[in-house]
Amino acid sequence: MLVLLPPSEGKAASGRGAPLKPESLSLPGLAGARAEVLDGLVEVCLGDEEKAREVLGLSEGLRDEIAKNSTLRTAGARPAGEIYTGVLYDALGLATLDAAARRRARKSLLVFSGLWGAVGLDDRIPSYRCSMGVKLPGLGALGAFWRAPMASVLPEAAGDGLVLDLRSSAYAAAWRPKGEVADRTASVRVLHAPTRKVVSHFNKATKGRIVRSLLEAGAAPRTPAELVEALRDLGYAVEAEAPGRAGKAWSIDVLVNEIH
C-alpha cells in the first residue's frame, strides 16, 4: 500500500542537523526537477522581499519565512516525518506509533510537496515554505510543473498494490494516477454524516486517524474494495461505489458526526 499525504503549511524548525543532501532523497528520478524548484525558490527569496512575499502568497506575519527559504541549502535538515506538523500529522502521531507501525509508515507513506515533489518520512529536509499553488518565475505554477516528473516516477513507486490518496486538491493536481494504477487507487472524502457535506478541519484529523488505524492494525489491503472492508473492520462508517469504467479511481466517503 502506498499512502499519498499532503504536507502541512506550518512546519517544525529545521534544527541543528547536517544540511540537505539532495542525492539522499527518495524518488531520485525527481532530482532534476527538485533542483530547478530549489534554485528558483532560493533566488526569489534572496531578491526583493516584497516580490518574494507576493510570489509565495505570504501574509505580513509570515515575512520571516522568506529569510528561512533563502538559507535552504545550508539550514539543518531533519526527517520529513518530524518537519511536517498540523492537524493531520497530530492525529497520525508518528512519534507515538509502535515500532512495527513505524516501519510500515516508513515504507508506505509519501508526503507531496511544492518544493520536493514528494518525500518519504525518513528523507532529511529543512523547514521551508512553498505550497503547490506557488507560481515561481521561470517555472510557473508548481502543480503543473510537477506533472511530467511525477508521471515518470510515481507509477513505479506505486508498485502493484493499493494507492490510498489523501491529498488535498492542490497537491492531487501534481499527479493523477492513470490506467491500471487508477484502478487500484482510492481517494477519501470525509463527510458530515447528517448533512453529507464535506468537512474541513475534521477532514484532516480523520484522515490522520485513518492512516494511524491502518498502520497499527497492520492492515494491507491491495484493492479499494479491500480497503473499504478494512476500514469498516476498524470501526469507520464508509460508503463507496466502484467507478463505472476502467482507469478511474475509487471515491470512498468516510462519515463522521463531529465537524469541529
Side-chain angles (χ1 to χ4, degrees):
M1 178 172 63
L2 180 68
V3 182
L4 310 180
L5 297 176
S8 56
E9 289 300 321
K11 298 173 183 69
S14 292
R16 299 179 181 276
L20 171 72
K21 294 181 179 179
E23 68 279 5
S24 72
L25 299 180
S26 303
L27 305 176
L30 299 178
R34 286 171 176 152
E36 288 188 68
V37 179
L38 179 61
D39 288 347
L41 180 60
V42 170
E43 183 177 352
V44 163
C45 291
L46 285 172
D48 180 81
E49 193 171 272
E50 283 304 314
K51 179 182 178 182
R53 192 162 72 88
E54 180 181 346
V55 167
L56 296 176
L58 299 177
S59 66
E60 180 63 35
L62 293 173
R63 184 180 290 272
D64 289 349
E65 299 290 300
I66 299 168
K68 181 169 72 175
N69 280 348
S70 71
T71 63
L72 285 172
R73 292 191 182 91
T74 57
R78 295 169 60 185
E82 298 176 12
I83 288 289
Y84 293 113
T85 60
V87 175
L88 188 153
Y89 291 90
D90 286 346
L92 172 53
L94 290 167
T96 60
L97 291 171
D98 63 36
R102 284 199 298 273
R103 285 194 297 272
R104 297 182 194 110
R106 288 195 292 269
K107 290 176 60 177
S108 62
L109 271 55
L110 274 183
V111 184
F112 272 59
S113 162
L115 174 53
W116 313 114
V119 292
L121 296 183
D122 287 342
D123 286 344
R124 298 182 63 84
I125 58 173
S127 185
Y128 67 95
R129 189 82 177 207
C130 183
S131 73
M132 194 65 81
V134 164
K135 296 180 179 179
L136 283 177
L139 298 182
L142 293 179
F145 171 84
W146 281 111
R147 284 175 196 153
M150 290 291 193
S152 69
V153 170
L154 265 293
E156 181 178 353
D160 59 1
L162 174 73
V163 178
L164 174 53
D165 190 353
L166 301 178
R167 298 171 296 166
S168 57
S169 57
Y171 290 89
W175 181 61
R176 299 190 188 279
K178 296 180 179 180
E180 63 87 19
V181 180
D183 291 336
R184 48 188 167 85
T185 296
S187 62
V188 171
R189 298 190 305 173
V190 180
L191 303 182
H192 183 218
T195 65
R196 290 304 196 273
K197 291 183 178 179
V198 176
V199 300
S200 55
H201 173 93
F202 208 68
N203 165 66
K204 296 177 181 179
T206 300
K207 288 179 177 178
R209 293 187 187 112
I210 286 171
V211 177
R212 184 180 180 93
S213 296
L214 292 168
L215 293 172
E216 288 183 322
R222 295 189 59 81
T223 67
E226 290 181 9
L227 173 66
V228 170
E229 293 308 310
L231 292 176
R232 287 173 176 160
D233 289 345
L234 290 168
Y236 291 94
V238 177
E239 293 180 350
E241 187 174 335
R245 58 181 174 83
K248 184 175 175 60
W250 284 52
S251 180
I252 295 176
D253 293 336
V254 175
L255 308 180
V256 298
N257 290 308
E258 300 175 84
I259 58 172
H260 61 275

